[in-house]
Amino acid sequence: MGGSDDDCNCNKGFSSSYMLVKPQEAKISDLGRLLFSSNLKKRKFVDSNEAKEFNLWHRFFIFLSIIILKLLKVFAAPLAFFGNSLEFCLNSLSTNHGISGILFNILRLKLKIPERSSAEYRSVIGHLDGRIMLDKNIKPDDVNYFAALCMMASKLSYENEARVKYIVNHIWKMEFMEFFNFWNEYEEKCSTQTFMMRDKKVDHNTIIVSFRGTEPFNADDWSSDFDISWYEIKGVGKIHGGFMKALGLQKSIGWPKRIDRQDHERHPLAYYTLRKKLKKLMKQNEQTRFVVTGHSLGGALAVLFPFILAFHDQTLLLERLEGVYTFGQPRVGDRKFGQFMLKTFSHYKIRYHRFVYGFDMVPRLPLDDKALMFKHFGRCIYFNLNYDAKILEEEPFKNYFSIVGEVVMRIQACLEIGRSFTIGWRRGKEYEERVLLRLVRLFGLLLPGIPAHCPQDYVNSTRLASTDIIFSPPKTEYDVN
């Protein structure tokens, strides 16, 4: 997530310029001087070959990013412990049918201990939104079918392999293909999860590739969102460094078209493994198509995957890629990168749908301003408090840190709490919210934008919004925000 000497070698190998923040190299005293000196060459915690000087505003965001990243590093272990404990307690409650069931089973000496690898074991995300059924009102030939299916697949990607396999095969009646734990060379661990399934309903023969998003208590995932490092690729633009590392960027050599790694089976990289498997599947059947999807961090990876395909001239896969569906996706690159992607999508007739609900924090990160350069591209399919859809150039209050936005976000957080108690009888029993989600919505008063990032509102949006607005043709193929 930070930088190292290997990062520098990687920069020279595949990128024309770069800017990397390295929080592990930062000392508090040196960080303080950062705000008062534009000379970053003396700072070990910033590695850049850009000739221009960084202004105060830019240095402030580097300072803020490093502080957040250092805090996430310090609290990574207790955060993970809390998350695992909470998850275990929630599963104990559901397995034993509540507190009374736990007490009764203890008295009978028959207390049920949940197994983390079982199909019944749910993630915290699965407890926030317990729905596993697809919407029966959305048929396979409806225009919003894949949007609704991709959102459910994005939510399902947070679960363990056994649960994903069970729901895909037995609840959705589709074909579970494979579950992956991909290696991140920079974190030196498996930190990117993905699964593949096949939908053969009616006349479909579509493979869905779903990337797991930002897990609530995973400091590495949140670090990727708050890291403002980037690499620039000639002819393409500047791209978020942390997201590329999660997808399979290699130290020293970057993105070679072919890899020769002795440990590839033991340490598989996301992009190369998925590319190989998809090419094999596409060659087996000329009718097979695929879509990529993801929520949060998973949405960023879903956008980057076709970029690397285009970078490597993978024409077969790009011609078979029907769509990219992202939900609560953070910004991935600069304006030039957005133009490159829109031209690629247009050339291969790939549909790109970027869904944003309310004041979700993550789509508003990293910041879009003169100091930084991260920008969204294409149309924003925006949902308001009532799940009404609008096609916008950019979500309201495009940057999370906004004085006016902070007030408006808290007002909406209050309204969302009120809606939580009424949505069940207004929209139907399947939309009822549980105690855990209501507690998270209360947390939104303190830190707005977190509850709005939960999959619950994105599932509701894809089911309740007007499909005519969502899937109307864009005014132009090359609008870049």
Side-chain angles (χ1 to χ4, degrees):
M1 181 211 71
S4 66
D5 293 337
D6 290 320
D7 288 338
C8 297
N9 294 332
C10 178
N11 296 327
K12 295 176 182 177
F14 87 104
S15 63
S16 58
S17 63
Y18 56 89
M19 194 285 290
L20 305 174
V21 295
K22 303 188 290 184
Q24 72 275 12
E25 301 287 344
K27 297 180 180 179
I28 299 299
S29 58
D30 203 22
L31 269 177
R33 287 193 290 271
L34 169 67
L35 297 175
F36 302 100
S37 173
S38 60
N39 185 359
L40 296 185
K41 298 296 183 181
K42 298 180 179 179
R43 312 300 175 207
K44 293 182 179 180
F45 54 83
V46 179
D47 182 14
S48 176
N49 66 350
E50 278 213 313
K52 69 177 185 180
E53 292 189 349
F54 293 84
N55 60 34
L56 176 60
W57 197 233
H58 197 168
R59 299 199 307 274
F60 170 74
F61 282 123
I62 293 174
F63 171 85
L64 186 63
S65 176
I66 290 176
I67 291 294
I68 293 174
L69 293 174
K70 288 183 78 69
L71 288 174
L72 286 169
K73 187 71 173 178
V74 170
F75 292 103
L79 189 65
F81 176 78
F82 176 78
N84 290 331
S85 301
L86 175 63
E87 195 174 78
F88 184 79
C89 291
L90 292 172
N91 279 280
S92 297
L93 288 169
S94 60
T95 301
N96 293 279
H97 306 291
I99 296 177
S100 59
I102 290 177
L103 296 175
F104 183 63
N105 287 338
I106 290 176
L107 292 175
R108 296 191 306 156
L109 301 179
K110 293 184 177 181
L111 180 67
K112 298 178 182 178
I113 305 298
E115 297 182 16
R116 292 186 179 274
S117 60
S118 71
E120 291 75 30
Y121 197 89
R122 287 183 284 165
S123 67
V124 173
I125 295 294
H127 282 279
L128 286 172
D129 182 358
R131 291 173 290 186
I132 59 174
M133 302 295 294
L134 300 178
D135 191 340
K136 296 179 180 178
N137 297 317
I138 301 177
K139 307 301 180 184
D141 56 349
D142 291 345
V143 293
N144 63 326
Y145 173 76
F146 278 111
L149 176 60
C150 283
M151 183 55 229
M152 288 297 288
S154 296
K155 184 168 78 79
L156 185 61
S157 66
Y158 289 95
E159 307 302 329
N160 65 47
E161 181 177 359
R163 185 164 180 81
V164 171
K165 183 176 182 179
Y166 174 78
I167 290 175
V168 170
N169 286 340
H170 299 285
I171 305 299
W172 296 355
K173 307 298 181 184
M174 298 180 187
E175 178 190 349
F176 171 81
M177 302 184 74
E178 198 162 353
F179 187 96
F180 306 94
N181 281 294
F182 291 124
W183 186 254
N184 184 322
E185 284 199 352
Y186 294 81
E187 295 178 1
E188 296 186 342
K189 61 182 177 181
C190 289
S191 61
T192 301
Q193 287 76 39
T194 310
F195 80 89
M196 290 173 58
M197 68 180 193
R198 191 196 305 265
D199 174 21
K200 284 190 174 181
K201 290 184 178 179
V202 191
D203 61 345
H204 294 160
N205 187 355
T206 307
I207 294 168
I208 289 88
V209 180
S210 180
F211 292 93
R212 180 179 292 181
T214 307
E215 295 186 279
F217 302 99
N218 187 317
D220 292 329
D221 288 351
W222 284 108
S223 294
S224 292
D225 290 329
F226 283 100
D227 187 353
I228 60 173
S229 300
W230 52 262
Y231 299 93
E232 182 172 13
I233 297 178
K234 187 176 181 180
V236 175
K238 297 176 181 177
I239 309 168
H240 193 287
F243 300 152
M244 288 206 291
K245 294 170 186 176
L247 195 61
L249 180 71
Q250 296 178 78
K251 292 180 179 180
S252 302
I253 55 177
W255 291 113
K257 286 191 175 183
R258 294 182 178 86
I259 57 170
D260 182 19
R261 288 163 47 99
Q262 295 180 349
D263 65 340
H264 184 61
E265 293 298 322
R266 189 164 59 95
H267 291 155
L269 302 173
Y271 165 74
Y272 295 98
T273 303
L274 292 172
R275 185 185 72 179
K276 180 179 179 180
K277 291 184 178 295
L278 286 169
K279 285 178 76 171
K280 182 178 179 180
L281 291 165
M282 297 303 119
K283 290 177 180 178
Q284 289 175 352
N285 188 336
E286 292 184 357
Q287 304 303 315
T288 302
R289 300 290 186 269
F290 74 101
V291 301
V292 290
T293 188
H295 167 260
S296 188
L297 170 62
L301 301 182
V303 168
L304 277 178
F305 183 71
F307 155 65
I308 305 298
L309 291 179
F311 185 57
H312 288 167
D313 299 316
Q314 295 292 319
T315 303
L316 171 63
L317 292 182
L318 290 168
E319 289 176 343
R320 299 289 190 90
L321 176 57
E322 282 202 340
V324 178
Y325 296 82
T326 71
F327 307 88
Q329 167 211 318
R331 296 184 177 99
V332 177
D334 66 357
R335 182 182 297 274
K336 190 175 179 180
F337 171 78
Q339 291 172 338
F340 177 89
M341 291 305 298
L342 283 177
K343 290 178 181 178
T344 300
F345 288 160
S346 177
H347 178 75
Y348 291 100
K349 299 180 180 179
I350 300 168
R351 293 171 293 182
Y352 172 49
H353 298 293
R354 182 174 69 86
F355 297 86
V356 177
Y357 166 76
F359 293 107
D360 183 349
M361 169 195 286
V362 176
R364 295 168 169 86
L365 296 171
L367 301 184
D368 173 0
D369 65 2
K370 292 181 179 179
L372 304 181
M373 71 323 141
F374 295 99
K375 291 186 177 295
H376 283 303
F377 62 90
R379 303 185 302 164
C380 168
I381 303 173
Y382 178 78
F383 302 97
N384 64 15
L385 181 70
N386 297 315
Y387 304 117
D388 297 322
K390 295 180 180 179
I391 304 299
L392 303 176
E393 291 185 0
E394 182 69 86
E395 53 268 20
F397 301 104
K398 66 178 182 178
N399 286 326
Y400 179 71
F401 300 103
S402 165
I403 297 177
V404 177
E406 289 294 315
V407 176
V408 177
M409 288 178 190
R410 283 178 170 79
I411 293 174
Q412 172 131 335
C414 292
L415 296 175
E416 286 174 342
I417 294 170
R419 184 191 62 190
S420 179
F421 290 92
T422 62
I423 193 171
W425 60 264
R426 288 192 299 110
R427 298 289 194 174
K429 189 173 181 180
E430 66 176 293
Y431 296 97
E432 286 182 356
E433 297 187 0
R434 305 182 181 190
V435 174
L436 181 62
L437 182 56
R438 289 173 180 169
L439 292 175
V440 173
R441 292 205 185 281
L442 283 173
F443 180 72
L445 296 175
L446 176 65
L447 192 63
I450 293 291
H453 189 58
C454 295
Q456 175 88 17
D457 287 314
Y458 283 97
V459 173
N460 292 352
S461 297
T462 56
R463 296 185 178 193
L464 296 173
S466 170
T467 57
D468 294 337
I469 297 176
I470 296 176
F471 298 99
S472 60
K475 294 179 181 179
T476 173
E477 293 286 351
Y478 298 102
D479 284 340
V480 181
N481 301 323

Short mmCIF file of all heavy atoms in Angstrom, two decimals, residues 71-85 189 217-220:
data_model
loop_
_atom_site.label_atom_id
_atom_site.label_comp_id
_atom_site.label_asym_id
_atom_site.label_seq_id
_atom_site.Cartn_x
_atom_site.Cartn_y
_atom_site.Cartn_z
N LEU A 71 -2.92 5.70 10.78
CA LEU A 71 -3.91 5.31 11.79
C LEU A 71 -4.52 3.95 11.45
O LEU A 71 -4.74 3.11 12.33
CB LEU A 71 -5.00 6.38 11.89
CG LEU A 71 -4.60 7.70 12.55
CD1 LEU A 71 -5.73 8.72 12.44
CD2 LEU A 71 -4.24 7.48 14.02
N LEU A 72 -4.81 3.74 10.17
CA LEU A 72 -5.37 2.46 9.75
C LEU A 72 -4.37 1.33 10.01
O LEU A 72 -4.77 0.22 10.39
CB LEU A 72 -5.74 2.50 8.27
CG LEU A 72 -7.00 3.29 7.92
CD1 LEU A 72 -7.12 3.50 6.41
CD2 LEU A 72 -8.26 2.58 8.45
N LYS A 73 -3.09 1.62 9.81
CA LYS A 73 -2.06 0.61 10.08
C LYS A 73 -2.00 0.28 11.56
O LYS A 73 -1.92 -0.90 11.95
CB LYS A 73 -0.71 1.15 9.60
CG LYS A 73 0.43 0.15 9.66
CD LYS A 73 0.28 -0.93 8.61
CE LYS A 73 1.49 -1.84 8.56
NZ LYS A 73 1.34 -2.92 7.56
N VAL A 74 -2.07 1.30 12.40
CA VAL A 74 -1.99 1.09 13.85
C VAL A 74 -3.19 0.29 14.36
O VAL A 74 -3.05 -0.62 15.19
CB VAL A 74 -1.91 2.45 14.57
CG1 VAL A 74 -2.09 2.27 16.08
CG2 VAL A 74 -0.58 3.13 14.28
N PHE A 75 -4.37 0.62 13.83
CA PHE A 75 -5.59 0.00 14.34
C PHE A 75 -6.06 -1.19 13.50
O PHE A 75 -7.18 -1.68 13.69
CB PHE A 75 -6.71 1.04 14.42
CG PHE A 75 -6.48 2.09 15.47
CD1 PHE A 75 -6.06 3.37 15.12
CD2 PHE A 75 -6.67 1.80 16.81
CE1 PHE A 75 -5.84 4.33 16.09
CE2 PHE A 75 -6.45 2.75 17.79
CZ PHE A 75 -6.04 4.03 17.43
N ALA A 76 -5.23 -1.66 12.57
CA ALA A 76 -5.63 -2.76 11.69
C ALA A 76 -5.98 -4.02 12.48
O ALA A 76 -7.03 -4.63 12.24
CB ALA A 76 -4.52 -3.06 10.67
N ALA A 77 -5.10 -4.40 13.40
CA ALA A 77 -5.33 -5.64 14.16
C ALA A 77 -6.56 -5.54 15.07
O ALA A 77 -7.42 -6.42 15.05
CB ALA A 77 -4.08 -6.00 14.97
N PRO A 78 -6.67 -4.49 15.92
CA PRO A 78 -7.88 -4.40 16.75
C PRO A 78 -9.16 -4.24 15.93
O PRO A 78 -10.22 -4.74 16.33
CB PRO A 78 -7.63 -3.16 17.62
CG PRO A 78 -6.51 -2.42 16.99
CD PRO A 78 -5.69 -3.44 16.27
N LEU A 79 -9.06 -3.57 14.77
CA LEU A 79 -10.23 -3.42 13.91
C LEU A 79 -10.68 -4.78 13.37
O LEU A 79 -11.87 -5.10 13.37
CB LEU A 79 -9.90 -2.47 12.75
CG LEU A 79 -11.07 -2.03 11.86
CD1 LEU A 79 -12.06 -1.18 12.65
CD2 LEU A 79 -10.54 -1.22 10.66
N ALA A 80 -9.69 -5.58 12.93
CA ALA A 80 -10.00 -6.92 12.43
C ALA A 80 -10.55 -7.81 13.53
O ALA A 80 -11.50 -8.58 13.32
CB ALA A 80 -8.76 -7.54 11.80
N PHE A 81 -9.97 -7.70 14.73
CA PHE A 81 -10.44 -8.50 15.86
C PHE A 81 -11.88 -8.15 16.21
O PHE A 81 -12.71 -9.04 16.43
CB PHE A 81 -9.54 -8.28 17.07
CG PHE A 81 -10.00 -8.99 18.31
CD1 PHE A 81 -9.76 -10.35 18.47
CD2 PHE A 81 -10.68 -8.30 19.31
CE1 PHE A 81 -10.22 -11.01 19.62
CE2 PHE A 81 -11.13 -8.96 20.46
CZ PHE A 81 -10.89 -10.31 20.61
N PHE A 82 -12.17 -6.85 16.24
CA PHE A 82 -13.54 -6.42 16.53
C PHE A 82 -14.51 -6.94 15.46
O PHE A 82 -15.59 -7.42 15.78
CB PHE A 82 -13.61 -4.90 16.60
CG PHE A 82 -15.00 -4.36 16.80
CD1 PHE A 82 -15.59 -4.38 18.06
CD2 PHE A 82 -15.72 -3.85 15.73
CE1 PHE A 82 -16.88 -3.91 18.24
CE2 PHE A 82 -17.00 -3.37 15.90
CZ PHE A 82 -17.59 -3.40 17.16
N GLY A 83 -14.09 -6.83 14.19
CA GLY A 83 -14.96 -7.29 13.10
C GLY A 83 -15.22 -8.78 13.17
O GLY A 83 -16.37 -9.22 13.00
N ASN A 84 -14.18 -9.57 13.42
CA ASN A 84 -14.35 -11.02 13.52
C ASN A 84 -15.21 -11.40 14.72
O ASN A 84 -16.04 -12.32 14.63
CB ASN A 84 -12.98 -11.71 13.63
CG ASN A 84 -12.19 -11.63 12.34
OD1 ASN A 84 -12.77 -11.57 11.26
ND2 ASN A 84 -10.87 -11.64 12.44
N SER A 85 -15.02 -10.69 15.83
CA SER A 85 -15.82 -10.96 17.03
C SER A 85 -17.28 -10.62 16.80
O SER A 85 -18.18 -11.38 17.18
CB SER A 85 -15.27 -10.17 18.23
OG SER A 85 -13.92 -10.51 18.49
N LYS A 189 0.11 -10.82 0.71
CA LYS A 189 -0.95 -11.68 1.20
C LYS A 189 -2.11 -11.67 0.21
O LYS A 189 -2.16 -10.84 -0.71
CB LYS A 189 -1.45 -11.23 2.58
CG LYS A 189 -2.04 -9.83 2.60
CD LYS A 189 -2.46 -9.48 4.02
CE LYS A 189 -2.98 -8.06 4.12
NZ LYS A 189 -3.37 -7.70 5.50
N PHE A 217 -14.39 -3.94 8.24
CA PHE A 217 -13.36 -3.94 9.29
C PHE A 217 -12.00 -4.38 8.75
O PHE A 217 -11.16 -4.89 9.49
CB PHE A 217 -13.80 -4.84 10.45
CG PHE A 217 -15.11 -4.41 11.06
CD1 PHE A 217 -16.30 -5.06 10.71
CD2 PHE A 217 -15.17 -3.34 11.92
CE1 PHE A 217 -17.51 -4.65 11.24
CE2 PHE A 217 -16.39 -2.92 12.46
CZ PHE A 217 -17.56 -3.58 12.11
N ASN A 218 -11.78 -4.15 7.47
CA ASN A 218 -10.52 -4.49 6.84
C ASN A 218 -9.74 -3.21 6.56
O ASN A 218 -10.09 -2.44 5.66
CB ASN A 218 -10.77 -5.27 5.54
CG ASN A 218 -9.49 -5.82 4.93
OD1 ASN A 218 -8.47 -5.14 4.87
ND2 ASN A 218 -9.55 -7.06 4.47
N ALA A 219 -8.70 -2.97 7.33
CA ALA A 219 -7.94 -1.72 7.21
C ALA A 219 -7.24 -1.62 5.86
O ALA A 219 -7.06 -0.52 5.33
CB ALA A 219 -6.90 -1.63 8.34
N ASP A 220 -6.83 -2.76 5.27
CA ASP A 220 -6.17 -2.73 3.97
C ASP A 220 -7.11 -2.20 2.89
O ASP A 220 -6.69 -1.44 2.01
CB ASP A 220 -5.68 -4.13 3.59
CG ASP A 220 -4.54 -4.60 4.48
OD1 ASP A 220 -3.77 -3.75 4.94
OD2 ASP A 220 -4.43 -5.83 4.71
#
